[in-house]
Structures are given as C-alpha cells and as structure tokens.
Amino acid sequence: MECIVEEMVAQEERRSGRWVSRCFSTDTLGRIYTIHPKNDDCFYLRLLLINVCGSTSFESLRTVDGTICVTFREACQQLQLLEHDSHWNQTLADAIASSPTTAVRTLFAIIISTCQPSNPRLLWDAYKDDMAEDILHRLRLATRNVDLQMNADIYNEALVLIEDLCLLMCEKLLIEVHMPAPSRQTRDLVSRELERERAYDIIHLQQQVQTNVPLLKEQQSSAYNQLINAVDSGNGGIFFLDAPGGTGKTFLLSSILAAICGQGGIALALASTGIAATLLEGGRTAHSVLKLPLNLQIHESPVCNISKQSAMAQVLKKCKLIIWDECTMAHKRSLEALDRTLRDLRNNNRCFGGVMILLSGDFRQTLPVIPKSTAADELNTCLKLSHLWRFVKTISLTMNMRVLLQNDRTAEVFLKELLQIGNGQVPIDPSVD
Ligand SMILES: Nc1ncnc2c1ncn2[C@@H]1O[C@H](COP(=O)(O)OP(=O)(O)OP(=O)(O)O)[C@@H](O)[C@H]1O
C-alpha cells in the first residue's frame, strides 16, 4: 500500500499541453486503485482507508473503540462497513425449502467461495442443520437409532463435503474463506486429490481404446505407438505433436489419455486456454493445475506455486504423462517453471524430473499473448526459444481428417490456403499497410 501512495505522490498530470509535477497542498490521498474482494487483505485495507479518517498507522486503522483487531477484515466488520448478508440468508432459506441437502451444500459452497459474504460463519451457524440433514439421516439408518441428534462429528462431515466442493470449484480451503476448518488429516486431502485423478470409469476408457485405436490412420497410429512406448519405457522425454487444425490431434490425445488412465495410471491433461481444456477428458488449464505465477514476464526463474506437502505435489510425483495442449500459446517460462518444479518434487535432476511431457499445438496459430508488448516480445517468449526446446522430439500429423473423412474438395482447397498463410508463403501486398 505504501508503494501505491508513493506512486501517486510521484504521479504527474497534464496541464495546458505540458507535463508538470502535481502540486500538493495537503497529504491527502486522492485516489486508490480499486481492488477485487478476492484479494482480501488489500480489499479490506482499502475499505478502511477510504472510510476511516486520521489514521496514522496500519495498527491505528485496525483499532476500533480502543481494541486492535487482528485483521483488516475484522475491523471492517466491527465498523459495519461490510454489506449485510440478508440476501444470502434469503437465498439459502429458499433453497432449503425446495432443494435436496446436497444441492444446498453446493449452493453454500458457491456463495462462500465466489460471492464473498461478509460473515460466512453466521450463515453456516444458521443453516448447518439443514446442510447436514442427509448425513444425520444416513447415520440414523446405519445405527438403527432414530433418536440420534446432530453432533460435532456430523457437522464436521458436512464441512468436509463443503470443503471438497470449494477445492473443486476454486481450490480454496474453508479456512481461506473465513469458515471453520473441518478436522481432517492432510493425508486425507492428498488421497482425495489422487482419487480425483484416478476417478475414471475404467471400463468405459478401455472400451474407448478398443474402439478408437483400430480407427487411427497410419500417421496417427505410428504417433500413438511411439508415444505409448515412450510412456511405458518410463524414460521420460519431451515430445511435440505438431498438428495443424483438423489432423486428428484431439482424437489421438484422447486415445492416449484413455490408454494410460484405463490401466490405472495418472495422466494429466492440461491446456493453455480454458476452451482447449474442455476438449480433453479431465482437461484443466495449466495455470490452474500448476499454479503458475501470473506475471511470467517479470520472473527470471519462476517455479510453480506447489508445496511439497500439497495434494497436487503427490499427483505430480505419481503421474506418468503430462499433456499440454495448445502449448504454442504458453510462455516459455511456464514450461521452464514446470521443469524446475518437477525436478524438485521428484528429487530427480533429469528433464522434467523424468516425467514424459507431450506438448501439442500448431505454431502457425496463436503465439503467447503478452499485454502491452511488441511482436518481438511475443516471439521472445515463444517455447521454441526456451533452452528446453533442444530436447524436444517432434512428431508431425499432416493428413487432414476433416478433408479425408468427409471427402470435401472445398475444405481441401481452404486447408491448403490456410497452411500457406500459416507458413508465410502468401506474398504480402506492399501497397497495403
Ligand atoms: N482416425 C480417425 N477416425 C475417425 N475419425 C477421426 C479420426 N481422427 C480424427 N477423426 C475425426 O476428425 C475430426 C477432426 O479431428 P480432431 O478434432 O481430433 O482434430 P484436431 O486436430 O484436434 O482439430 P482442431 O485443432 O481443429 O480442433 C473429429 O470429428 C474427429 O472425431
């Protein structure tokens, strides 16, 4: 916050066409950047700064009626600066009247993890009986004891279920959303994350392999065999599947994922964008799974924000393959961060700690998007300029499946023109800017 103040004091403003230093007659702070409530501490600090006059220190900002509050949030609460939660109360009461307990828990998890109610604990206290009703009912049946009443264990189980939902939706623990933390072992959390990675319908995956693998065309089949053999050998390595649009890349990647997960192995499907992630079974964005730093431009040697004790660290230690689709849009430092993290987590100094990495995408399409940058900056951040690129083995798919399967002549012409543009073979008209 001090930086913001200094920055504002140093700011200059435009007067009569010239830049001149701003003249201050007082120490008043004119404007403070808005902050999203997700950034808790700064958000509540800002709220205090714009509402409390005459404070001289952070501590005096946190002091309400002579008592020093532990957090800025608590001070805001004492000063009644936060919105009251009557609309969330009403929403939950309506849901309880019309929805099953599981749906009420899901709604509550959404409210506390994404809507920032001012006092989630009060909401929990008001509705915890309704959110734990199915657990009580199940226990009454299991113990054949109709007199069983709500108790701390039942509330704890409901909290664990709500925390699982919050972890799934936004990877937050209940304590991070100002709720009481359920009591459970870290081991329990870790095994849940591993279970999530293994919670596939094995029979369905095996059927998918049996149906799709015989359909693979020659190029796809040779790529499939090469990649599956590389995974089975356990020697790791880094491959790049160079596949222009329509060459059956998603079909091939899905078959590889099904083959590995169908045998009970762990394969992570990541993508640089949310849309690309939805095309792969169990796909998630690389940023969300790997907790990559947001501003890779300013970090020389970034690492993923994953602690050794975390559930994701256990998944990364056990996984056999990491697929990264639309990798051409990824900043080279994000791949380097994954390399450093895997070496550290797996205690193995080989490339990516010995895990096999399969990158896929098409460099003719979108390169990394760097805000406020030049074309040269974007090229500089491209994966091909990473020191890791020299270890990459490239496998190419060139046969367009959309043209081949639909025998569409116009699609073929369109495809050729598209590839020519991508390959820079279309002459540029010098008369056009
Ligand atoms: N061997 C195959 N047998 C039958 N259908 C296939 C085969 N390979 C791909 N296809 C089908 O061809 C179409 C294009 O394949 P796919 O979506 O995998 O290509 P893609 O390279 O991922 O394309 P894009 O990058 O444009 O998304 C899909 O409908 C897919 O089901």
Side-chain angles (χ1 to χ4, degrees):
M1 185 49 68
E2 277 159 343
C3 309
I4 297 176
V5 176
E6 277 169 23
E7 201 179 299
M8 295 191 69
V9 172
Q11 211 173 4
E12 295 183 331
E13 66 180 13
R14 198 177 179 143
R15 290 212 185 122
S16 45
R18 279 189 319 122
W19 288 96
V20 291
S21 292
R22 207 178 253 174
C23 303
F24 287 97
S25 52
T26 65
D27 292 337
T28 317
L29 199 57
R31 181 168 28 124
I32 310 179
Y33 294 118
T34 51
I35 294 161
H36 194 275
K38 263 189 182 171
N39 189 355
D40 309 38
D41 237 19
C42 289
F43 176 80
Y44 296 115
L45 172 58
R46 179 183 187 280
L47 204 57
L48 289 173
L49 280 171
I50 57 178
N51 283 287
V52 179
C53 303
S55 285
T56 48
S57 66
F58 291 125
E59 195 174 278
S60 78
L61 267 176
R62 278 191 280 116
T63 307
V64 182
D65 295 337
T67 314
I68 304 173
C69 299
V70 181
T71 59
F72 295 125
R73 182 176 200 279
E74 194 186 323
C76 290
Q77 229 158 12
Q78 300 288 339
L79 290 168
Q80 314 225 321
L81 294 177
L82 304 185
E83 260 186 11
H84 57 77
D85 288 335
S86 58
H87 47 305
W88 300 126
N89 257 309
Q90 192 58 48
T91 309
L92 283 166
D94 285 353
I96 286 160
S98 57
S99 310
T101 316
T102 46
V104 178
R105 274 197 300 266
T106 309
L107 175 66
F108 184 68
I110 293 171
I111 292 175
I112 57 171
S113 56
T114 60
C115 306
Q116 290 90 28
S118 58
N119 204 330
R121 274 174 196 255
L122 275 185
L123 285 176
W124 162 249
D125 284 339
Y127 298 107
K128 62 184 177 187
D129 283 357
D130 302 283
M131 287 190 258
E133 205 178 12
D134 56 341
I135 302 168
L136 174 66
H137 180 64
R138 196 194 68 222
L139 287 176
R140 278 182 178 165
L141 286 178
T143 56
R144 298 188 184 189
N145 175 6
V146 286
D147 297 326
L148 185 70
Q149 296 301 316
M150 285 290 181
N151 56 42
D153 287 342
I154 296 179
Y155 292 138
N156 187 60
E157 194 175 332
L159 282 175
V160 167
L161 293 172
I162 293 168
E163 186 167 72
D164 285 346
L165 290 167
C166 292
L167 283 168
L168 193 68
M169 286 188 280
C170 58
E171 310 206 350
K172 276 188 180 164
L173 295 169
L174 282 190
I175 195 113
E176 295 173 75
V177 291
H178 313 289
M179 279 279 293
S183 118
R184 60 171 161 189
Q185 307 279 324
T186 329
R187 231 185 36 237
D188 181 26
L189 263 178
V190 170
S191 57
R192 267 162 205 275
E193 188 71 27
L194 280 172
E195 264 169 38
R196 188 169 92 178
E197 291 305 332
R198 287 187 171 138
Y200 297 112
D201 181 345
I202 302 265
I203 309 273
H204 169 74
L205 290 174
Q206 287 169 352
Q207 280 168 355
Q208 191 181 335
V209 175
Q210 276 167 16
T211 323
N212 288 357
V213 172
L215 291 179
L216 294 174
K217 299 292 174 206
E218 201 183 326
Q219 264 184 350
Q220 292 174 319
S221 176
S222 121
Y224 176 87
N225 291 333
Q226 190 179 346
L227 293 167
I228 289 289
N229 288 341
V231 174
D232 288 344
S233 72
N235 289 332
I238 165 163
F239 290 83
F240 172 57
L241 187 64
D242 178 18
T247 47
K249 174 195 67 181
T250 312
F251 192 83
L252 176 62
L253 293 181
S254 304
S255 307
I256 293 172
L257 281 171
I260 294 168
C261 299
Q263 291 164 5
I266 294 181
L268 287 180
L270 314 180
S272 298
T273 65
I275 294 288
T278 58
L279 297 178
L280 294 171
E281 180 77 30
R284 285 181 282 166
T285 63
H287 264 281
S288 135
V289 175
L290 302 177
K291 308 272 183 302
L292 292 166
L294 283 181
N295 196 346
L296 288 160
Q297 275 299 87
I298 58 170
H299 295 281
E300 276 288 326
S301 309
V303 287
C304 303
N305 212 348
I306 297 174
S307 77
K308 277 196 170 175
Q309 290 74 33
S310 71
M312 186 41 76
Q314 307 308 316
V315 172
L316 288 174
K317 274 187 196 170
K318 290 202 163 34
C319 74
K320 288 181 159 186
L321 170 70
I322 298 177
I323 291 181
W324 192 325
D325 195 14
E326 300 299 356
C327 71
T328 57
M329 286 187 71
H331 196 296
K332 66 178 180 190
R333 288 186 187 158
S334 52
L335 195 70
E336 292 164 8
L338 176 61
D339 176 44
R340 273 182 215 106
T341 306
L342 285 172
R343 283 176 200 240
D344 179 36
L345 290 177
R346 298 170 71 106
N347 235 344
N348 183 336
N349 214 17
R350 285 163 60 199
C351 221
F352 294 94
V355 182
M356 184 173 144
I357 306 289
L358 173 54
L359 306 169
S360 64
D362 179 11
F363 281 104
R364 295 169 201 84
Q365 296 180 23
T366 322
L367 292 184
V369 178
I370 313 291
K372 298 182 187 159
S373 68
T374 60
D377 291 333
E378 290 189 355
L379 286 175
N380 262 333
T381 58
C382 183
L383 282 190
K384 285 198 174 180
L385 292 187
S386 167
H387 64 270
L388 294 167
W389 193 258
R390 64 201 150 105
F391 302 115
V392 170
K393 294 176 201 126
T394 301
I395 301 173
S396 299
L397 296 181
T398 50
M399 194 181 291
N400 192 293
M401 300 309 293
R402 292 201 178 100
V403 173
L404 188 83
L405 296 171
Q406 291 159 16
N407 202 13
D408 182 347
R409 291 284 112 201
T410 51
E412 193 174 359
V413 174
F414 180 65
L415 165 75
K416 277 190 186 143
E417 287 176 357
L418 209 57
L419 281 178
Q420 275 176 348
I421 296 172
N423 290 331
Q425 291 162 345
V426 175
I428 298 170
D429 182 352
S431 64
V432 180
D433 269 351

